[in-house]
Amino acid sequence: MMVKKSDKLLSLVESFFRDHLEHSCGASAHTVRAYRDALKLFFCFLADINKCAIADLSLEDLQVGAVSRFPNYLEEERSNSAASRNYRLAAIRSFFKHLLRHDLAHANQYQQVLALPSKRRHIPAANYLEPEDVRLILKQPDRRTLLGRRDHALLLFLYNTGARISEALAVCVRDLSLINPRHVILHGKGGKDRCCPLWRDTASTLKKLSTVQDGQPDEPVFCNRFGQVLSRDGAAYILRKYVAMAGRKSPKLRRKKIAPHLLRHSCAVALLQAGVDVTVIRDYLGHASITTTNRYITTNLKMKRDALESFWRESGLSTTTTPNWKPEPDLLRFLSSL
């Protein structure tokens, strides 16, 4: 019985996710979903340019010409950023490496795809809030209500821990220790867990949540009004809501690009300003490389200003003062006679 060409592609896609990503690499559910979405977009794009159904695609359709057009499609048609473009191209590359290991008959075809370069992108300075701005935002939720207490607890938790929003929303009751030593276990990227200390105020605020008081150990801490785990969009809406309220008192907040990651950046910068060593901040935030952490040093305006003022004092340029010049009456008479 002849095996359809499309069936071979399907079996390799399945083995890529089941055997390679989940079993060999131990990829997280988040990574699997990201790779799934990238390949879905890629196959839809291939079917469109080949004018066929996705079910009719075969390994012969995976040509370098089509793959090289896919990143431009992401940017121009789907308005993806250069970063998203590169992430999705990385997922495609990972899939083609899997094809290369299991389908040597098309090795040259796959090697050409793997040779495609990533697009260099400009990395903007990290956007962050100063501590006084965060304090103003934290004053906005109405803590007399259940949702207000939840919102305040979520924002304070994000600023305290510097957690990614996915890490914060994945926290369950069993991950919290709200008595000394107060801490939380965060489940980070790549299956890496880390322990973060909690401020006394953060622990006290979390204790007041009904999800913590009445919840089972494996139930989420941050839930929506229906008792389900809060979504990323829901958390982003909460932050935007209170930043807008705080913006009425502090107009500079209206110019900020608002997302939950803003509090992660703000936590990192506050730690730097407090003099915490950069390697400690790397472990605190769960960065894989200290290069990522160093980004906050280059973007911290206060540290740059303090360094400049220190240099100005040490240079001796600020120690001399020149008295204001006042013209003498004889000089004025001389000038008037000219």
Side-chain angles (χ1 to χ4, degrees), residues 47-62:
D48 187 52
I49 63 175
N50 286 307
K51 295 182 171 32
C52 67
I54 294 178
D56 295 330
L57 290 173
S58 66
L59 292 171
E60 284 72 20
D61 294 317
L62 308 181

Side-chain angles (χ1 to χ4, degrees), residues 178-179 202-210 212-213:
L178 302 181
I179 58 175
T202 307
S204 175
T205 302
L206 290 169
K207 284 180 183 178
K208 297 174 183 176
L209 297 181
S210 59
V212 174
Q213 294 175 349

Side-chain angles (χ1 to χ4, degrees), residues 2 34 81 91 111 186 188 229 244 270 276 308 333 338:
M2 292 289 292
S81 66
Q111 287 283 17
L186 295 176
V229 63
V276 179
L308 183 62
R333 282 196 295 270
L338 295 176

Side-chain angles (χ1 to χ4, degrees), residues 166-177:
S166 58
E167 296 170 346
L169 298 181
V171 169
C172 295
V173 176
R174 66 168 175 266
D175 298 321
L176 295 174
S177 177

